[in-house]
Amino acid sequence: TLQDKKTREILQVESCRVGFRSVDIRNGVLVLNGKPLTISGVNRHEHDPDTGKVVSLDRMIQDVELAKENNFNAIRTSHYPNSVSFYRLCDYYGLYLCGEANIENHGMMPMGKLANDFAWNKAFLERVTRMIDRDRNHASIIMWSLGNECGRGSNLLDARKALRNLDTSRPIMYEGGGGVFDGTGESELTDIICSMYPDVKRTIALAEKHKDRPVILCEYSHAMGNSNGNIHLYWKAFWDKDLSRLQGGFIWDMIDQGIRKKHANGKEYFAYGGDFGDVINDKQFCINGIFSPDREPHPAVTSIKYVQQPISFRWKQQNLHHEEAKVIKVEDNSVEIQIENRFSFTSLEELTVRYFLSLDSMEHTRGQLPPRDRLFDVKPSSEGTIVVNVKDYLKELESEHRVFLNLRCFYSHEVEWMGKDIPIATDQVEIVAGKASRCIPTRQGTGLKLAFSESNESITIYNGDKPQATIDKSTGLLTSFFTNRGENIFANNGLIPNFKRAVTDNDRGGVDRMKQIMPRWVAFIIGLLERAVVTLALIESSYSYLWGRVGLDNESSQEVRCEDLDTKINKDGTVSVVTKNIIISGKRRIFEQTLQYIFHTDGSVKLSTTTIASQKLHRLPSLPRIGFSVSLKKELYRCTYFGRGPGENYQNRKDGENCSFGVYSSSPNQMRYNYIVPSENGNRCDCSWALFADETGDGLMIISGQESGNTNHATFDFSGLLHNQQEIHAATHICDLPPRKESEDPIWVNIDLFQMGIGGDVGWAPCCYPQYRLPPKRTYSKNIWLCRKISSEDPSIIGRQKKFV
């Protein structure tokens, strides 16, 4: 406090928060106050969509609260010291910081050129020492970084020594640029092994290799567009107690760095490289955050929050049917839950747990279990048990329903960074008691006989004297599907085989993208290696490039030809049509597909498919998808489904509260997500049924058919949007998509029997792991039902009636 010496008037007041804590590395483990840390981190650039790099205090507070709310505990100030206000906020709210110096040589070849040039020595030293002088009193900073991707060299060694002369209380984390010669985050310049973008296997290998230093990835899970697939596999390793030196990482990155602009058509959009008349640019390589420029969360955030959550639930009676299924059997009318407190310093007595049941039913979507006010006192880094009594729900558990126990943990007191209804941890498990009944009444038909008529062009199936469906004889495809009022549910060409997708940014990752963003001489060398057919991971072609070469891109036209067709009336009164088709792209024969349609008197059709890729496709690492696309008439925009939701999810990114099993209501506007660069979006995984209905409740149901001998629940993926995948693929900005409205435009539905996962490790190389790919040499078989539904029917009952037929 500065006072006037005579009048004692206060002229100026300065204050700062003071924190006391110790940071150390013991036996290769990073500890704070003697306790091991797991870094749930994210890289953050200072950015605002309207003011650029000038970020207001309100925006900083928003960023801190978003980080805390989504279970981040650390931020790397990539790649420069931030506004002092941000450090004060992190001191106050409680976020660990990696303070990074403003040194960046990315793109210079060699990367360490300036680090070895003595003329730059003073600049290196001053940028590091000025950061320490300004920021070292902030307790939130637990590690320093010498900069980003500056290679190795004497200037960095001198900068490290200068840093150590000013501060010995924090470790140093520095990654030289990812190249072998730059240290790959394992050099003498760093106290923490901090390699960039290793895959999960290499990440684990780093922890096993280095016994004296912790492993914390300074950048991983590159969040470019529809991304962050595989994130659960990283966190399975990060939480592994046998890998104590593997202590987390910082996702790249927090905010899409787009600038708000208005298109000539009046639509606002977020602009990126090349949108400002700039000839030299990196296109959308600054659009790689988990939040949009105006801080709307990407769909991936819910999965990231889940895998990072500081409370783990495990089920004593857990029986894993397949990799990610959680199914347990009720014993003594209860479910026993093991709770692990992953906090380093916080007891669980500060939290409240709530739990409820959800069913695969429209009538019973949620059941209230006896409320529990508090978790008992589970100490930090300890475990405990709670028992949930489900005695009152044995009727549902022993029925044909699927029943799920849902858990939500909340702070029991008000916290500034999180609303009272936002959980800090969630989980869901399917519970069963004894053998579930399958005594489901058969769906009643019309009582009329099925028949068919045949012309040169088509086959029409009749239910009495009303048409039920039409199949085109030249393609073998279902072109019409009629309501009981005789109206065609399809808007355009009917049910079309679909093997493509609007490529994601990660689908574009490969040698072709590297050549676009690297200096010309580097691109030239890569081209030489390609022509020499050198098979190195560094020069793998992107999925999208390889798909384009064989006609699986959205620019290539697709033709379906029926080579054989057989129609008959079966003894049970159903009508079956079997077609053997080939799919041609350009002049290439790319698939053979057998379709068996079995029409029933209730207005439904069971469609069984077998798909074989041609030998020309066998060298592909993966097919994009195998399924169908169909355009539904505009009135059918009300969507209800049972599967994972309510948010977007994919096979390798389907964890978290917004990816839980349940019955959900949605619409095309709610299903989509507007990625800044339009791409594949809006998918819902592991669905048993989906309904698209008009305002009266009439509509079309898609139902998974149980496969013979398969004890798991048969499912499909789907999406329903107002733009088709060709339009989405062609657009480079959201404003490029033609304006559409629900109830005024058809709904484009993708029904995916199988879909490849999304990438996530990096944005410049193929990174979908083998278990989430669709090998082209495999034969793919599945069946689904298409059912017309009338308003008085419950879709969840129809779904169960058809599933086991």
Side-chain angles (χ1 to χ4, degrees):
T1 302
L2 181 64
Q3 292 180 311
D4 186 287
K5 191 174 181 178
K6 294 180 179 179
T7 66
R8 311 301 294 173
E9 179 186 358
I10 295 175
L11 303 177
Q12 185 176 343
V13 175
E14 291 287 340
S15 67
C16 70
R17 293 183 177 274
V18 178
F20 298 91
R21 48 105 193 99
S22 65
V23 185
D24 202 357
I25 294 175
R26 298 179 186 172
N27 300 317
V29 176
L30 178 70
V31 295
L32 187 140
N33 294 340
K35 300 288 187 181
L37 294 180
T38 299
I39 298 297
S40 308
V42 65
N43 286 272
R44 175 184 175 270
H45 272 291
E46 292 181 309
H47 183 77
D48 184 279
D50 302 305
T51 58
K53 297 303 174 187
V54 179
V55 181
S56 68
L57 181 61
D58 287 342
R59 188 68 87 183
M60 292 181 207
I61 293 172
Q62 183 182 19
D63 287 351
V64 169
E65 291 182 345
L66 282 172
K68 296 283 286 185
E69 180 183 309
N70 290 290
N71 291 329
F72 289 99
N73 65 9
I75 288 176
R76 177 178 175 227
T77 65
S78 51
H79 296 299
Y80 39 79
N82 284 190
S83 166
V84 172
S85 297
F86 186 72
Y87 296 85
R88 292 172 178 164
L89 289 170
C90 292
D91 290 339
Y92 176 75
Y93 281 89
L95 276 174
Y96 303 129
L97 288 177
C98 173
E100 186 152 280
N102 185 19
I103 306 176
E104 165 81 76
N105 294 356
H106 189 128
M108 179 164 282
M109 296 292 177
M111 197 83 78
K113 182 177 180 180
L114 298 186
N116 282 295
D117 186 342
F118 184 73
W120 288 84
N121 184 270
K122 185 178 180 182
F124 272 71
L125 266 62
E126 287 189 349
R127 292 195 176 205
V128 171
T129 56
R130 286 187 300 193
M131 173 181 72
I132 307 304
D133 286 338
R134 192 195 73 165
D135 297 335
R136 60 184 162 186
N137 288 328
H138 290 285
S140 56
I141 299 175
I142 63 168
M143 61 183 81
W144 299 112
S145 168
L146 299 176
N148 183 66
E149 297 181 90
C150 308
R152 297 163 78 180
S154 57
N155 293 338
L156 285 166
L157 281 169
D158 290 344
R160 178 183 168 90
K161 290 174 185 176
L163 190 159
R164 278 285 173 250
N165 288 335
L166 293 171
D167 183 14
T168 59
S169 69
R170 299 171 173 95
I172 295 171
M173 182 175 82
Y174 170 71
E175 218 283 3
V180 174
F181 301 109
D182 300 312
T184 62
E186 303 173 68
S187 74
E188 70 285 351
L189 294 168
T190 183
D191 301 320
I192 296 169
I193 304 301
C194 56
S195 303
M196 290 181 176
Y197 305 110
D199 62 20
V200 174
K201 184 178 180 180
R202 183 169 167 250
T203 299
I204 294 170
L206 287 169
E208 293 170 341
K209 173 183 175 183
H210 295 279
K211 307 297 184 184
D212 60 340
R213 289 184 282 181
V215 176
I216 299 172
L217 308 181
C218 69
E219 296 177 20
Y220 81 105
S221 194
H222 195 264
M224 193 172 179
N226 190 350
S227 188
N228 302 108
N230 314 323
I231 188 76
H232 62 299
L233 300 178
Y234 281 98
W235 277 92
K236 183 179 179 181
F238 293 160
W239 291 124
D240 190 336
K241 293 177 181 177
D242 293 330
L243 298 169
S244 59
R245 291 183 300 280
L246 183 52
Q247 294 184 260
F250 297 85
I251 288 172
W252 188 268
D253 63 359
M254 188 172 185
I255 308 299
D256 285 331
Q257 294 169 70
I259 300 295
R260 199 189 315 270
K261 289 187 74 175
K262 185 169 282 190
H263 193 270
N265 61 16
K267 291 174 67 175
E268 280 191 348
Y269 69 102
F270 292 117
Y272 51 81
D275 292 336
F276 306 93
D278 46 323
V279 178
I280 299 175
N281 61 74
D282 279 341
K283 298 185 179 178
Q284 68 263 39
F285 249 84
C286 57
I287 307 297
N288 41 30
I290 57 173
F291 296 93
S292 68
D294 56 2
R295 277 46 175 187
E296 180 186 2
H298 285 208
V301 169
T302 187
S303 293
I304 294 168
K305 178 177 181 176
Y306 173 84
V307 297
Q308 295 183 159
Q309 66 188 24
I311 301 169
S312 169
F313 301 99
R314 294 197 305 276
W315 325 96
K316 183 177 178 182
Q317 311 98 319
Q318 186 163 331
N319 175 24
L320 295 182
H321 291 308
H322 55 88
E323 183 194 359
E324 288 148 346
K326 288 184 278 193
V327 182
I328 60 175
K329 186 176 180 180
V330 174
E331 295 178 357
D332 299 324
N333 300 330
S334 64
V335 176
E336 188 172 306
I337 303 169
Q338 302 290 122
I339 297 179
E340 179 186 357
N341 182 358
R342 292 168 169 168
F343 281 113
S344 297
F345 305 101
T346 303
S347 167
L348 296 191
E349 64 182 350
E350 297 188 19
L351 300 179
T352 298
V353 63
R354 302 175 196 164
Y355 28 73
F356 59 89
L357 294 182
S358 58
L359 283 69
D360 62 342
S361 168
M362 295 290 288
E363 295 178 357
H364 306 96
T365 56
R366 297 200 172 189
Q368 290 299 319
L369 287 168
R372 189 179 183 93
D373 293 332
R374 291 282 180 92
L375 285 171
F376 53 85
D377 185 10
V378 181
K379 301 297 182 186
S381 304
S382 300
E383 295 186 2
T385 304
I386 62 173
V387 177
V388 179
N389 192 308
V390 293
K391 181 179 179 181
D392 294 338
Y393 294 89
L394 291 180
K395 180 180 177 181
E396 285 83 0
L397 288 168
E398 293 174 352
S399 72
E400 74 280 2
H401 291 290
R402 293 181 67 185
V403 183
F404 298 87
L405 174 65
N406 303 270
L407 296 104
R408 304 285 184 268
C409 283
F410 304 84
Y411 281 103
S412 54
H413 57 278
E414 189 172 329
V415 291
E416 290 188 51
W417 61 85
M418 187 178 289
K420 64 179 182 179
D421 295 325
I422 299 175
I424 186 174
T426 66
D427 217 328
Q428 182 186 68
V429 63
E430 185 172 358
I431 56 177
V432 296
K435 188 174 182 179
S437 167
R438 288 186 183 172
C439 298
I440 308 167
T442 303
R443 190 182 187 216
Q444 295 299 309
T446 60
L448 303 172
K449 288 186 177 182
L450 295 180
F452 67 90
S453 66
E454 194 169 349
S455 69
N456 291 334
E457 293 78 27
S458 64
I459 296 169
T460 302
I461 287 60
Y462 288 91
N463 196 327
D465 59 354
K466 292 183 178 180
Q468 181 167 322
T470 303
I471 293 174
D472 188 307
K473 292 176 71 174
S474 65
T475 62
L477 301 178
L478 189 69
T479 54
S480 303
F481 196 61
F482 297 98
T483 68
N484 58 354
R485 297 191 297 269
E487 299 169 351
N488 188 9
I489 291 172
F490 300 157
N492 291 311
N493 298 325
L495 199 66
I496 308 296
N498 187 19
F499 307 101
K500 308 173 183 181
R501 72 180 181 191
V503 297
T504 67
D505 276 313
N506 288 327
D507 290 339
R508 296 185 179 98
V511 63
D512 36 313
R513 168 169 273 169
M514 293 293 286
K515 287 193 292 185
Q516 291 176 355
I517 63 175
M518 286 293 182
R520 289 182 180 178
W521 67 272
V522 177
F524 176 74
I525 292 174
I526 292 174
L528 291 178
L529 291 173
E530 278 189 291
R531 286 190 286 275
V533 201
V534 178
T535 56
L536 295 174
L538 291 175
I539 60 165
E540 283 185 284
S541 295
S542 69
Y543 297 127
S544 63
Y545 172 77
L546 294 174
W547 294 336
R549 291 188 64 180
V550 295
L552 285 179
D553 58 316
N554 283 284
E555 288 87 358
S556 299
S557 60
Q558 178 178 293
E559 180 186 356
V560 183
R561 294 180 191 169
C562 180
E563 293 193 323
D564 187 43
L565 185 149
D566 180 61
T567 307
K568 65 178 181 179
I569 298 178
N570 301 310
K571 291 181 180 179
D572 61 359
T574 59
V575 173
S576 65
V577 181
V578 179
T579 72
K580 293 184 178 179
N581 304 335
I582 60 170
I583 291 85
I584 298 169
S585 182
K587 295 182 179 179
R588 303 182 187 91
R589 180 173 175 149
I590 58 174
F591 288 100
E592 295 178 3
Q593 189 172 62
T594 299
L595 304 178
Q596 181 189 49
Y597 306 90
I598 301 179
F599 295 92
H600 292 251
T601 59
D602 65 347
S604 64
V605 56
K606 184 176 184 180
L607 173 57
S608 301
T609 73
T610 299
T611 305
I612 301 172
S614 73
Q615 199 164 4
K616 295 181 178 67
L617 276 57
H618 284 187
R619 294 184 65 182
L620 291 176
S622 178
L623 304 172
R625 63 172 14 124
I626 296 173
F628 297 91
S629 64
V630 62
S631 175
L632 302 182
K633 63 178 187 174
K634 61 185 180 182
E635 292 84 4
L636 304 182
Y637 67 91
R638 293 171 172 82
C639 178
T640 308
Y641 71 96
F642 172 70
R644 290 187 183 271
E648 172 193 281
N649 48 87
Y650 290 83
Q651 290 300 330
N652 58 344
R653 198 196 71 212
K654 57 181 182 180
D655 294 307
E657 185 179 15
N658 284 344
C659 305
S660 301
F661 281 104
V663 176
Y664 299 104
S665 296
S666 191
S667 70
N669 283 339
Q670 293 172 319
M671 293 196 80
R672 74 180 182 197
Y673 184 82
N674 288 331
Y675 292 101
I676 291 177
V677 179
S679 72
E680 161 66 36
N681 74 95
N683 190 66
R684 269 48 174 186
C685 279
D686 303 334
C687 297
S688 294
W689 55 265
L691 165 67
F692 287 89
D694 61 21
E695 60 184 7
T696 70
D698 289 3
L700 174 72
M701 281 194 71
I702 306 154
I703 304 168
S704 62
Q706 193 70 18
E707 298 159 44
S708 177
N710 187 352
T711 58
N712 294 329
H713 294 284
T715 61
F716 61 92
D717 293 6
F718 86 103
S719 62
L721 307 174
L722 292 176
H723 297 92
N724 63 42
Q725 63 190 33
Q726 288 75 25
E727 292 173 312
I728 295 169
H729 176 79
T732 58
H733 301 78
I734 286 297
C735 60
D736 297 334
L737 294 170
R740 302 269 168 80
K741 291 184 178 180
E742 290 176 351
S743 79
E744 295 182 10
D745 293 287
I747 302 96
W748 295 91
V749 178
N750 286 329
I751 307 167
D752 293 330
L753 309 180
F754 308 90
Q755 187 182 172
M756 169 186 164
I758 52 171
D761 293 5
V762 297
W764 50 89
C767 58
C768 185
Y769 290 9
Q771 62 267 43
Y772 303 114
R773 298 180 200 159
L774 304 181
K777 293 183 181 180
R778 179 180 152 194
T779 297
Y780 293 89
S781 298
K782 217 168 204 182
N783 56 71
I784 56 170
W785 289 83
L786 300 181
C787 298
R788 61 191 191 192
K789 175 199 168 290
I790 58 174
S791 57
S792 60
E793 294 181 295
D794 183 334
S796 60
I797 293 175
I798 300 174
R800 292 194 298 276
Q801 288 172 330
K802 289 297 182 183
K803 191 173 188 67
F804 298 103
V805 176

